[in-house]
Amino acid sequence: MFPANDAGRAEPGMVPADAVYAENLWKRFGPTTAVAGVTLRIPAGSFFGLVGPNGAGKTTALSMMTGLLRPDAGTVWISGADVWRDPVAAKASIGVLPEGLRLFDRLTGPELLSYLGRLRRLDREVAESRAAELLAVLDLAGAGRTLIIDYSTGMRKKIALAAALLHNPRVLFLDEPFEGVDPVSAQMIRSVLDAFTGTGSTVIFSSHVLELVESTCDHVAVMNRGQVLASGRTEQIRGGRTLQQAFLAMVGARPEDGSGRLPWLGSSSG
Amino acid sequence: MAWLFVRLKLRLIAGGLRGPGRGGRIAGLVAALLTMLWVVPLGFLLLAAQHGRAGADNLIVLVYTAFAVGWLVLPLMTFGADETLDPARLALLPLRPRELAGGLLAAALTGFGPILTVVLLTGSMVAAARGPVAVLVGLAAVAIELVICVAASRALVTALSSLLRSRRGRDLGVAISGLLVLGIYAVTLTFQRAAMLGHGAAGLGAGLAGVARIARWAPPGMTANAVVQASAGRYGPAVLELGAGAVTAALGLWLWLVLLRRALETADSSTQSAGRRRDRRRAARPVPAFGWRAHPRLWSSRALTTAGRELRYYRRDPRRKQQLVSLAMPVFIVVADSVPGLRPGGPGGSAPGLPTWPAVFAGAIAGMFSAANQFGLDGSALWLTAAATTRWQDLRADIAGKNLAGAVITIPVFGLLYLALGLWLHAPGPAARAVAMIVCAFGATSGVASILSVLNPVPIPDRRANVFSSPGTGQGCLAGLMTLAGLLAALVLLTPALVLTALWRAPLLVGVLVLGYGALLAWAGRWAAAVIGFRRMPEILATVSRPV
């Protein structure tokens, strides 16, 4: 199951150094099986990329790991706490930036952070100073009284990231954090995430931009059709190729580049 | 080109009828056939049967005016539902405005609405026309009226299209549609009361004749009146009035063409970024606030946190604003059933004081208002709360906050209403009893509705798709049944309080007991809803996040 897993960690069960350990997760939606037996080991302090084509089950797997979607079978431990048996410990230690950025979008950015700070039972002074700092670092302080519904995509991603970081989680789950984000905002998000993992915290993010994953992540898992094809250190998964080549080989895409097809396309023909 | 647009429209109608799954497809087809084969001919016959009756002359004027108004108003409320009407979708095609206008006109003339319009206009024409000349004038009047309707409707939509595509414009549309529904309700209630109090049909007829007298001077009414004039043998005025209608139709088409040309050449304001607007606003306060800054205990209270967010939503979310507008309905009913002159049974017939049942009704509506489908209203943003929900007590606090926000809005409205009624009718005791009953009914209904909203959360479509955001296709009926079941269950639970107030004449003690009973029901409902809902949280989240 783990062709490229770290040596010495092959035995099943939670290892203390793991930030997240998911064992044999299954999820069916009607006739389709979205996730078919996913087992993942995510070491603490890693910048972990989950890659796969559209419909591979990345979002479903991440939703089950964060306790927002009940798995049909399987177990998830986060920092040693079972997500579905001990939600108090598990939910306190994770931050989530889900796909689609569904927020309470009739609040302003500062209001959203203040609301979440209170729901997370943070101290008032702590919540307010953290919110102010996050807004400043992510360049959202100027948005002031604008409702989130009027934010641009990049601003929405940034306020969602601020919401995920507010309670200082140990593990951060990000679903497609860079999709639809301009380069300036993307760089801002990356620098925040780099600083976050630098302190020993863990980031797991899904993406299908392989160049980005290759340059950012020290660990990678490749998913296709609800299963993990490979998981481990990025250089092991690559095996000397680019991640793109390794990925296409694993997913079984045809290597041809499309030349020779659509002969009518282009200015040389009529 | 026009034929292509007609085919596109037909394809879109077919796609729209085809609901999700096979059942939806068949249901859509059956509904369409029923409408076309049953409702439309029936409407035609009902109108045509007025031929020779006294009111037929007024009828045709009223029908023509009503259709013109309908064509102006309806597209504003359903904008975005018809892709062939939105010029922005076609702006990239290499078409000249005139070609595009021809195509859009053809598309606008295709569909159930235009068929219904033509059939019913013809029906009222049959009712009013006497003699072959009048029928000829009538056929021309139908054609002219149809063009007036379509051109005016298209011109208005085109003029407002960029506004309607912006967030603020759509929010406005939602608020207006809420007021419109309320207005229709008020008119219905007035007529119903008039009929109950015995001066119905004659007064109604006189009122409509008055409306028709004014409507005759507007272009749709003028076009209709041409038929009446021709029937009476006044051919000169008939031709003049028909000509006025034709000029209006031509003006409408011309205006639409001009607006279309402009819409294709100017930038779409809905694609501008929010950043531009931001500069005009005040900069953020250095420290974000979410109310209740005074005390650490208040800051950390989850119920108050949720209530604060809910109250903000009542102010900012058009869906909630529509709910607020709908609160006027129970206010109408309370007034209509409490003031002696309006109450059925005559001024002297009913018992003095204030009847209890409007208070029960108002309290129940208020309870439903604050608790029904509360997770569906959160929508997919519920995950934010769910990610911070670790114990069932958290969920109970959330529900309490939502109920509290609803109570803060509704209870003062009805309290003040009954205070005014009590002072006006010199019945302070019954008024106080009614307020106690409102609070009790609020408690019972909000408790029941909270349980229902965890058992059967109903997803609400994204408001961006349509300004009317009711539960999704096929869900509306189930949601309605659940609401009805909830009201019945609450009524059963309220029986002891009703019996107590009816039998025992110790106002203070009864008031305290009734209030306590209501609080108990609310508490029990919240408790049960939280215990059930906490276990079902992922399922609730999955249901309300589903796109509909």
Side-chain angles (χ1 to χ4, degrees), chain B residues 155-179:
Chain B
L156 188 65
V157 168
T158 310
L160 295 181
S161 63
S162 67
L163 175 70
L164 284 171
R165 236 176 287 111
S166 76
R167 204 252 312 161
R168 272 158 202 285
R170 276 189 315 258
D171 285 4
L172 198 68
V174 174
I176 289 173
S177 69
L179 284 175

Side-chain angles (χ1 to χ4, degrees), chain A residues 27 66-70 84 87-89 91-92 94 96-98 101-125 127-129 131-132 135 139-147 149-152 155-156 160 163-164, chain B residues 167-168 171 273-275 277-278 281-296 298-302 304-306 309 312-313 315-318 378 380-391 394 398 463-464 534-539 541-542 545:
Chain A
K27 187 71 191 178
T66 52
L68 291 175
L69 180 69
R70 196 191 301 280
W84 291 95
V88 180
K91 282 184 175 176
I94 60 173
V96 189
L97 186 148
L101 299 165
R102 304 157 303 186
L103 302 164
F104 283 108
D105 49 17
R106 299 268 166 177
L107 298 180
T108 67
E111 281 171 356
L112 180 76
L113 295 186
S114 179
Y115 172 65
L116 290 173
R118 293 178 70 179
L119 286 191
R120 297 261 184 202
R121 297 194 187 82
L122 297 183
D123 194 51
R124 199 186 93 197
E125 282 76 25
E128 291 183 344
S129 68
L135 291 171
D139 193 27
L140 288 170
R145 290 158 58 80
T146 308
L147 299 186
I149 195 170
D150 292 330
Y151 275 17
S152 66
M155 291 165 79
R156 286 175 75 90
Chain B
R167 204 252 312 161
R168 272 158 202 285
D171 285 4
S273 75
R277 249 171 279 147
R278 156 178 105 186
R281 308 205 168 197
R282 259 195 285 156
R285 272 176 274 180
V287 185
F290 205 86
W292 305 107
R293 353 193 54 257
H295 196 276
L298 294 180
W299 157 268
S300 61
S301 156
R302 184 159 173 138
L304 289 182
T305 305
T306 307
R309 186 187 60 71
R312 280 187 159 81
Y313 260 63
R315 205 168 67 224
R316 294 177 187 165
D317 188 358
D378 284 347
S380 49
L382 179 64
W383 76 267
L384 272 173
T385 325
T389 301
T390 50
R391 307 171 301 164
D394 290 343
D398 284 345
R463 187 194 39 79
R464 263 166 265 197
F534 182 65
R535 264 187 257 142
R536 282 174 47 83
M537 208 59 195
E539 283 72 28
L541 186 62
S545 312

Side-chain angles (χ1 to χ4, degrees), chain B residues 148-380:
Chain B
I148 290 179
C149 287
V150 172
S153 151
R154 286 291 75 79
L156 188 65
V157 168
T158 310
L160 295 181
S161 63
S162 67
L163 175 70
L164 284 171
R165 236 176 287 111
S166 76
R167 204 252 312 161
R168 272 158 202 285
R170 276 189 315 258
D171 285 4
L172 198 68
V174 174
I176 289 173
S177 69
L179 284 175
L180 213 68
V181 170
L182 189 71
I184 292 170
Y185 178 77
V187 169
T188 320
L189 191 73
T190 312
F191 278 131
Q192 187 196 339
R193 285 291 138 153
M196 275 165 100
L197 294 175
H199 35 76
L204 189 64
L208 288 180
V211 175
R213 207 159 35 239
I214 301 163
R216 245 176 262 279
W217 293 100
M222 247 182 217
T223 312
N225 205 39
V227 183
V228 178
Q229 300 277 29
S231 299
R234 296 189 289 269
Y235 297 124
V239 170
L240 275 181
E241 286 191 308
L242 206 60
V247 168
T248 309
L251 269 178
L253 284 177
W254 174 78
L255 185 66
W256 179 37
L257 198 65
V258 169
L259 287 169
L260 197 60
R261 195 167 284 157
R262 211 189 59 184
L264 291 179
E265 285 164 1
T266 46
D268 182 355
S269 72
S270 68
T271 53
Q272 287 170 3
S273 75
R276 224 192 259 190
R277 249 171 279 147
R278 156 178 105 186
D279 299 341
R280 274 188 265 129
R281 308 205 168 197
R282 259 195 285 156
R285 272 176 274 180
V287 185
F290 205 86
W292 305 107
R293 353 193 54 257
H295 196 276
R297 285 282 293 281
L298 294 180
W299 157 268
S300 61
S301 156
R302 184 159 173 138
L304 289 182
T305 305
T306 307
R309 186 187 60 71
E310 286 282 304
L311 287 175
R312 280 187 159 81
Y313 260 63
Y314 278 116
R315 205 168 67 224
R316 294 177 187 165
D317 188 358
R319 218 147 47 192
R320 302 296 187 93
K321 277 189 197 151
Q322 217 177 14
Q323 264 189 318
L324 287 180
V325 169
S326 72
L327 264 187
M329 191 185 82
V331 171
F332 281 159
I333 290 196
V334 167
V335 172
D337 280 307
S338 304
V339 178
L342 298 172
R343 214 151 69 189
S350 51
L354 292 160
T356 312
W357 86 263
V360 175
F361 175 76
I365 294 285
M368 277 287 168
F369 172 91
S370 72
N373 198 23
Q374 44 188 285
F375 300 105
L377 278 173
D378 284 347
S380 49

